[in-house]
Amino acid sequence: MAIPRAAKTQRRTRIQEEKEERILEAALDVFSVSGFRGTTIDQIAEAAGMSKPNLLYYFRTKEAIHRQLIDRVLDTWLEPLRAFNAEGNPEAEIRSYIRRKLEMARDFPRESRLFANEILQGAPHIEDELKGPLKDLVDEKAEVIRTWARAGKIAKCDPYHLIFSIWSTTQHYADFDVQVRAVLGHNLSGEGRFEDAARFLEKLFMDGLRVTATS
Amino acid sequence: MAIPRAAKTQRRTRIQEEKEERILEAALDVFSVSGFRGTTIDQIAEAAGMSKPNLLYYFRTKEAIHRQLIDRVLDTWLEPLRAFNAEGNPEAEIRSYIRRKLEMARDFPRESRLFANEILQGAPHIEDELKGPLKDLVDEKAEVIRTWARAGKIAKCDPYHLIFSIWSTTQHYADFDVQVRAVLGHNLSGEGRFEDAARFLEKLFMDGLRVTATS
DNA sequence: GTAATGTTTTACCAATCGGTCAAATTATCG
DNA sequence: CGATAATTTGACCGATTGGTAAAACATTAC
């Protein structure tokens, strides 16, 4: 008799690792579009090319799949902010943060939408992570920004709202992609939208942060 | 026998108007959190304080409720952009647009989230509206902004990405409210978040659009 | 080989889904 | 008042939901 669901100490089989990856990949497709409640196990199973009971052999519940996805995304999602370096050049750090966040929106739109869906629905699965690790990290980096401002290296501004506005403007190109495409149309301007966005956002934030005579 | 579902020429009864409003109100609560697929008729019915068959007496299908909500939101949502006046003072117009969008995020967060949910899911119900009326309106206002820039009244910038960034930064405070609250904590800074955001965003965009010697 | 384990399938379950129906109830109008 | 139309309810439908049981099948270890 099989000890069900990979309960053994080691994840031995190659097949197990492979199938789990395929399930997560398929689940990301579906969850990122339909949200948790709107997604069915059958949809995921079909997208992963296996039967529902077979899928449930690897993940006991829908929640289990979702949680693992969310955990992964939360981790990689904050990497750019973690890389934010207090010792570096302020303008360069912020500019590179914007660029990296925009690249993530371009390269991992499903992950961005999964996260957006979760927040939109009131973050029922990750409230603790938001109030804990996320808040702590933002608090830390906000203090860095405030220090830079006090030292006169960048203009004075609310560091929290600065971070919020970088998050929102960059993630917009992943989460609201359909709308962006619809508005830009499929003419030339739509294709290079990430390059255009990068140019625009870097200018916007750099102008806003540059120390001016009036500030 | 009743001619079902308000098929008569006139919406006569007060009770009808009243119940329909109560249903839409309840539906907005649920749809804005769970999205279309994630919402059940029973949830809406319970939130509206009536039985499911009773609710279905006023709206034949779940789609019908959703569509009416979406239509309403789409209309009111674009009002601030429509109010954008080509003859007005550029800086004042943009500043007031930001303020009004932020006020809408504060006063109508459910409407914002309903819209966000729809876009996140690929805008299956409103693709045409996005490519038609929305695109036309944005095209028109983008041209206004471009004219201002050419006349040297504001700095040169991509008007589409300017609009996107105003949309995203303001709506962020409605759509990602849970995250914003979690990060700010429930200390003083969290309560005045809309005022703080207004200050920050106005400064950000105004600095970025002011004509400088270097541009 | 064979025995033990790991994987997949078939059949199934109770609960919930969107929605219908006809009868019961209530409001409206003359 | 009575009649007619509007509203509400409870019982119900077939399809889909998340998930299970057990047996069939495949793989590995010895």
Side-chain angles (χ1 to χ4, degrees), chain A residues 33-35 117 121 178, chain B residues 34-37 116-124:
Chain A
V33 167
S34 300
N117 251 312
Q121 291 170 19
V178 191
Chain B
S34 300
F36 182 77
R37 291 218 49 203
N117 251 311
E118 176 66 15
I119 301 289
L120 258 184
Q121 292 171 18

Side-chain angles (χ1 to χ4, degrees), chain A residues 28-29 31-33 73 77 101-117 170-178 181 193-194, chain B residues 120:
Chain A
L28 182 55
D29 268 343
F31 277 133
S32 67
V33 167
V73 168
W77 218 237
K101 284 294 286 179
L102 198 54
E103 280 164 7
M104 292 191 67
R106 183 193 60 198
D107 299 336
F108 306 104
R110 294 176 307 170
E111 282 82 352
S112 182
R113 281 194 281 263
L114 178 79
F115 187 73
N117 251 312
T170 53
Q171 288 172 10
H172 187 79
Y173 291 95
D175 303 343
F176 286 70
D177 182 55
V178 191
R181 284 169 182 271
R193 60 194 189 284
F194 281 99
Chain B
L120 258 184

Side-chain angles (χ1 to χ4, degrees), chain A residues 196-208:
Chain A
D196 292 344
R199 248 190 309 276
F200 175 85
L201 291 178
E202 288 191 20
K203 180 180 183 328
L204 175 69
F205 285 105
M206 289 308 122
D207 284 2

Side-chain angles (χ1 to χ4, degrees), chain A residues 22-84:
Chain A
R22 239 171 67 196
I23 292 169
L24 289 172
E25 179 67 17
L28 182 55
D29 268 343
V30 188
F31 277 133
S32 67
V33 167
S34 300
F36 182 77
R37 292 220 48 204
T39 294
T40 72
I41 299 182
D42 294 271
Q43 284 178 305
I44 302 174
E46 199 201 324
M50 62 181 74
S51 69
K52 179 166 64 172
N54 196 182
L55 180 150
L56 286 165
Y57 172 74
Y58 293 101
F59 292 89
R60 254 190 291 270
T61 63
K62 189 167 83 162
E63 271 89 355
I65 311 174
H66 189 255
R67 161 136 300 270
Q68 188 147 333
L69 276 177
I70 284 278
D71 283 350
R72 278 195 191 186
V73 168
L74 259 182
D75 196 55
T76 64
W77 218 237
L78 293 177
E79 207 203 278
L81 189 55
R82 270 192 226 100
F84 209 92

Side-chain angles (χ1 to χ4, degrees), chain A residues 1-2 12-13 15-16 19 51 53-54 57-58:
Chain A
M1 265 22 60
R12 222 184 326 354
T13 59
I15 191 169
Q16 205 167 104
K19 290 283 169 78
S51 69
N54 196 182
Y57 172 74
Y58 293 101

Side-chain angles (χ1 to χ4, degrees), chain B residues 184-195:
Chain B
L184 292 182
H186 29 238
N187 43 28
L188 298 131
S189 62
E191 287 314 309
R193 60 194 191 284
F194 281 99
E195 287 81 354

